[in-house]
Amino acid sequence: DDGDDDDGDDDDEDEHKTVEDENNVNRVGAVLKPHAAATAKVLIDALKHEDLHSVTYFLALQHLVVLARNDVIPYLPDIFETFEKLLSVPPEQLSKIVNKEGEVVDSPAKNNLVAAFGFVSCLANVINYEHFAPYSELVCTSLFALVKGPSDGPQFVRLLASVRRLAMAMGIAMYPYLPLFLKPVFSFIISTEELNNSEPDTPDYHAEAFNIVSHIAKAGGDIGEENRSIFSSSTCALLLHNEVSFRIEASIVLSCLLPSYKFAPAEETKSFVNSTIEKLMNALKLATYERVNADKMSCISAHFHTVREIAKIYGSHIGPSSILNLIRAFTFFSEYVIEARAAWLKTVEAKKAKAKMRELRAKNAKKGKKKQATEETEEDEDEDEEDGESTFASSFEILAHINEALEPLLKVSPDFTPLFREALLPKALEAATIENDGDVAAIGMAFVTQYILHSHGNVALEDAEPVAKLIFGLSTDTAAVAHGVFYLFQCIVTMVTKEYGATADKNIGLARVLLPKVNEYLVSNDVESNPDAGAITNAISCGLGVIERYAAELEDQEKDEFFSLIAPFLPLTAEDAEEAATVHKRLVASCIGCPTEAYLIPDQLKSEYLSKIKHASSETVDAETVALLAMPLGDLEKRLNADKPATAVNYATSATTVNQTPV
């Protein structure tokens, strides 16, 4: 490929050639596989000759053992006999030499040894580890001693690749050898001088080093206090690195490291959690000083992902000052992201307008330079648009991570709820009203839902009413927004009922406004073309919840209007099968008047409902409901009315008790 790319034909040819090459390799591999072990044995025997230049042999063996796998286990003694002979080479023979052209290069002995480590580390990954274990100490100690630093150039990257393969193969068995290597590998990563002075074609040893520490952190188990200290201090230092990619990788490594602290004393874990949150907050501040682009948004998203994991696993260890820092960060970046998304949407609209203008000009434009300049401008704008789309996608990930971090914090930290109510709740309500960005509106409602659902008795009645009023006014045209609207309705009705009792005058007011809202959404959706069955399931579940709780207060006409709209949407096929199954079961109970006759479905709909639910997917109808539906309707009513406690599920609730968790 000479680099020319005047049209798409070259790309198509290259892609076709790549696929053809892969197919050829697969065919050759299939033919060679039955003979791989025997071929490997020939090469292993040949390596015993001292005068043999062995790099090519080791590279060939590296591929052969992938095909042969456990068939080479009988040859392990011969392999490591040769390996130990290579290790016995005097150190001076591993030094660099000057070749005939006057270039400083690695010695043949060094090249052989690096290739041998590549082969042995590959071998460790393809055979059962118990067969490799007797040789693991020899391999690890000698390999770690050979890894000097980036000055080794390409050989350094190859040695790091061998370490990575060993980490993948050995897992926690590598922990005893970490003190030999962990500090050096982090020092290689942290070395900003090496990165800044490197040429564009310099091998990326930083990425390989990050792969190593990630595999070690993911292995699980107890890596020990010393190694935990090296990991946490080094990765936290990297959170403030000049390179954005390093900060992203550091966040990933920290997330992988978190389970290891389950083996640490409580004080060590608490110290790590709070110091890490502080470092993450500093890293987030650093990100705000930089230009908004896709990399920056990815970096912020990675930091909040780590915060989310800390909140999920160690929420109870988070101290008051860390909680205050988190709520500030959540508030600031929620607003920051929403503003960035709004700006991007305006840019998109402006570009659409410019595109129309270009089309008009193109009709009258002459050929030549003017046309070429226009094409170059369009290419630049396409690149900007691609970067903007990536930024837009990452921005939503940030909001999603914040939302997922809220639940454990609200659950375990009493200090978090009042801070949330004061700082973040107003922002969430504001986000929920955004009309041109359905994703942000849905996340805004998710924030409010977390607050209503998980803050226990700290939710005040005065919170629920304004939230409900605001949601009542939202458009439900977007399925994602509708899903959030009706789920949030369920949470509000449930929590207000649970905390304050159904005698509160405002509760029935909420219910009376809610049912028409549900009906409006169901009427406006065509069941055959509806894009989100989950939103419909949530709407129906929400309406059922209101009727079950306020059956005595609602007029029969209100209930009948709601039930008359459900039939076209049955059976429910929501993405969440458990959610749909619960609604089906509740509808069956309403059909047969069990356990109370307060909210019976109208007679003309009973047979239709039962017939449709009977033909629902097995995933959305549980065994108990299937057994009930198999009985004739008359026998079913007699049986359930005769022995309600033994056969029926109590879906109704009294004035002061809520037995049903919101779907």
Side-chain angles (χ1 to χ4, degrees), residues 544-564:
L544 281 173
V546 171
I547 292 175
E548 289 167 353
R549 287 173 178 77
Y550 304 108
E553 290 89 343
L554 293 171
E555 298 292 337
D556 289 343
Q557 180 183 354
E558 293 175 299
K559 292 180 282 186
D560 290 351
E561 286 177 356
F562 168 72
F563 281 117
S564 65

Side-chain angles (χ1 to χ4, degrees), residues 46 51 141-142 177 227 347 433 451 501 547 623:
D51 57 343
T141 53
S142 56
Y177 311 108
N227 292 326
T347 303
T433 62
Y451 173 65
I547 292 175

Side-chain angles (χ1 to χ4, degrees), residues 458-470:
N458 294 315
V459 178
L461 184 59
E462 57 266 26
D463 291 334
E465 187 184 8
V467 169
K469 284 183 177 178
L470 178 107

Side-chain angles (χ1 to χ4, degrees), residues 67-84:
L67 294 173
R69 294 188 175 271
N70 287 325
D71 290 343
V72 299
I73 290 174
Y75 314 137
L76 290 181
D78 291 336
I79 290 172
F80 283 98
E81 179 185 341
T82 302
F83 184 68
E84 288 190 67

Side-chain angles (χ1 to χ4, degrees), residues 400-473:
H401 292 327
I402 292 175
N403 178 53
E404 291 181 31
L406 291 176
E407 179 179 349
L409 290 172
L410 287 167
K411 280 183 175 180
V412 303
S413 177
D415 297 331
F416 189 80
T417 303
L419 290 171
F420 180 100
R421 183 170 182 260
E422 180 181 347
L424 196 53
L425 185 59
K427 301 291 182 185
L429 293 172
E430 183 180 335
T433 62
I434 295 176
E435 295 183 358
N436 64 338
D437 193 343
D439 288 338
V440 167
I443 284 288
M445 286 183 289
F447 282 12
V448 180
T449 302
Q450 297 279 26
Y451 173 65
I452 295 291
L453 194 58
H454 297 300
S455 54
H456 309 293
N458 294 315
V459 178
L461 184 59
E462 57 266 26
D463 291 334
E465 187 184 8
V467 169
K469 284 183 177 178
L470 178 107
I471 302 299
F472 291 154

Side-chain angles (χ1 to χ4, degrees), residues 132-358:
F132 180 81
Y135 308 100
S136 60
E137 182 177 0
L138 170 68
V139 175
C140 288
T141 53
S142 56
L143 174 57
F144 294 166
L146 189 64
V147 179
K148 300 299 182 185
S151 58
D152 271 353
Q155 297 287 40
F156 178 61
V157 179
R158 295 187 185 104
L159 290 172
L160 288 181
S162 297
V163 176
R164 170 177 52 80
R165 286 191 286 266
L166 282 177
M168 293 170 62
M170 295 177 64
I172 61 175
M174 199 182 209
Y175 287 172
Y177 311 108
L178 290 184
L180 301 174
F181 184 71
L182 207 51
K183 284 184 178 179
V185 78
F186 271 116
S187 69
F188 303 149
I189 299 174
I190 296 172
S191 175
T192 55
E193 181 180 353
E194 289 290 345
L195 180 72
N196 294 336
N197 292 337
S198 62
E199 296 297 326
D201 59 349
T202 300
D204 188 2
Y205 64 83
H206 297 89
E208 197 65 80
F210 267 123
N211 283 335
I212 293 168
V213 294
S214 294
H215 281 299
I216 294 171
K218 289 176 185 175
D222 185 4
I223 64 174
E225 183 179 355
E226 181 184 357
N227 292 326
R228 279 195 299 270
S229 176
I230 297 171
F231 257 111
S232 60
S233 60
S234 301
T235 49
C236 285
L238 287 167
L239 290 174
L240 300 177
H241 200 282
N242 291 333
E243 288 291 319
V244 173
S245 61
F246 282 27
R247 290 181 242 160
I248 294 173
E249 293 288 351
S251 283
I252 294 171
V253 172
L254 275 173
S255 297
C256 297
L257 182 65
L258 291 175
S260 174
Y261 276 84
K262 292 180 179 179
F263 300 92
E267 285 302 316
E268 182 188 341
T269 303
K270 189 172 183 178
S271 174
F272 163 75
V273 165
N274 289 281
S275 64
T276 301
I277 289 176
E278 182 182 356
K279 299 294 192 304
L280 286 166
M281 296 303 102
N282 291 335
L284 288 168
K285 288 178 185 177
L286 177 63
T288 61
Y289 302 141
E290 300 164 342
R291 184 177 71 88
V292 177
N293 56 28
D295 288 341
K296 177 183 174 181
M297 282 297 184
S298 296
C299 183
I300 296 172
S301 176
H303 295 338
F304 275 115
H305 174 270
T306 305
V307 169
R308 182 195 77 181
E309 294 303 302
I310 291 174
K312 283 183 175 181
I313 303 174
Y314 302 112
S316 59
H317 291 282
I318 299 176
S321 61
S322 295
I323 287 174
L324 183 60
N325 285 333
L326 286 174
I327 202 70
R328 286 172 177 166
F330 290 167
T331 306
F332 175 83
F333 279 97
S334 296
E335 188 173 10
Y336 176 88
V337 166
I338 291 169
E339 289 178 357
R341 289 174 70 90
W344 165 243
L345 290 172
K346 287 182 181 179
T347 303
V348 171
E349 293 300 320
K351 285 182 178 178
K352 288 180 180 177
K354 285 183 180 179
K356 289 182 179 179
M357 290 296 296
R358 276 201 302 267

